[in-house]
Amino acid sequence: MKKLVALVLTLCAMLTLTGCSGKYPERAADGSAWNRDWTILGTVLGVEEPGNGLTLSENPVVLTGDDTHYATWTIGEAAAYTNEDGKETELYDAQLYLLLYGCADEAGADEAVADWIEREQEVYQITDVVSENCNGQAYTVLLYEVVSDTNPYARGAVAFGVYENYAVSAELTCVDSFTGDAHEILTVFLNGCHYSAELN
């Protein structure tokens, strides 16, 4: 979570955010009727119930600025954990972070995604890079292993995509004892993501 917030704050300094319309769309780009029972980020992205034991943990209205949104899901029971700063936090078998970052234009979103990928390559040992299309949306997926002694998570999968003027990141990170397939769980999650067909 700390990494996600730091990343967003850095990006906010780089790029100009656009405003939200505040009105929900009637349909998604994949042809689905917009469902308000989905977990909704802004008026842009709706996520079906993801399954695979993922439980919604956070979905604030806005993270920072006026067009940056995130939500998190967890798998397993929370366990007390003391981080490298000596602060008590909760550790799960796996956590999924979804970030929707509004940019001035599509070029800005492309730039944000390129920066995110570069940062992932600096922090993690990348074991594979895959191009995927999930529910009509293209993503670049990085599979990685954690090499830090201070990070309680051992491996994960992260997907990056651009939709109109939005940069999207979805990352599933797992502890070493987690037996699920991070890539498979993330792919199922992304196939349940719907983007608005009515962006201005």
Side-chain angles (χ1 to χ4, degrees):
M1 187 64 207
K2 182 178 177 183
K3 182 182 89 169
L4 176 68
V5 174
L7 176 64
V8 172
L9 293 177
T10 300
L11 291 169
C12 286
M14 285 173 40
L15 300 170
T16 302
L17 299 176
T18 60
C20 290
S21 67
K23 178 180 175 289
Y24 289 109
E26 292 184 6
R27 61 189 179 89
D30 58 23
S32 303
W34 197 261
N35 187 339
R36 292 198 184 192
D37 289 335
W38 292 338
T39 298
I40 297 174
L41 281 70
T43 57
V44 179
L45 177 55
V47 184
E48 296 176 16
E49 187 67 32
N52 282 306
L54 285 161
T55 301
L56 183 65
S57 174
E58 294 179 278
N59 183 23
V61 174
V62 67
L63 178 61
T64 183
D66 62 354
D67 204 10
T68 302
H69 308 267
Y70 83 101
T72 64
W73 288 259
T74 60
I75 298 176
E77 297 296 324
Y81 175 76
T82 303
N83 67 19
E84 60 185 305
D85 298 323
K87 294 181 181 178
E88 287 287 329
T89 185
E90 293 182 331
L91 182 66
Y92 295 88
D93 293 341
Q95 284 195 276
L96 193 151
Y97 305 93
L98 177 63
L99 175 65
L100 176 71
Y101 182 68
C103 303
D105 51 31
E106 188 172 343
D110 286 334
E111 181 181 343
V113 165
D115 183 64
W116 291 348
I117 290 174
E118 182 178 347
R119 288 172 186 270
E120 291 286 325
Q121 292 171 333
E122 291 173 355
V123 173
Y124 299 126
Q125 180 178 325
I126 306 302
T127 58
D128 201 3
V129 179
V130 182
S131 295
E132 290 189 352
N133 189 299
C134 298
N135 197 25
Q137 174 63 35
Y139 297 96
T140 297
V141 180
L142 279 62
L143 308 183
Y144 64 82
E145 294 179 355
V146 179
V147 293
S148 170
D149 293 332
T150 59
N151 190 328
Y153 291 103
R155 58 190 167 83
V158 56
F160 300 104
V162 171
Y163 182 73
E164 302 287 346
N165 61 304
Y166 288 88
V168 181
S169 170
E171 180 168 8
L172 182 72
T173 185
C174 317
V175 297
D176 189 49
S177 60
F178 182 65
T179 58
D181 185 318
H183 186 195
E184 181 179 312
I185 294 170
L186 183 62
T187 299
V188 171
F189 178 86
L190 293 173
N191 276 312
C193 290
H194 304 265
Y195 295 85
S196 171
E198 302 165 17
L199 295 184
N200 294 325

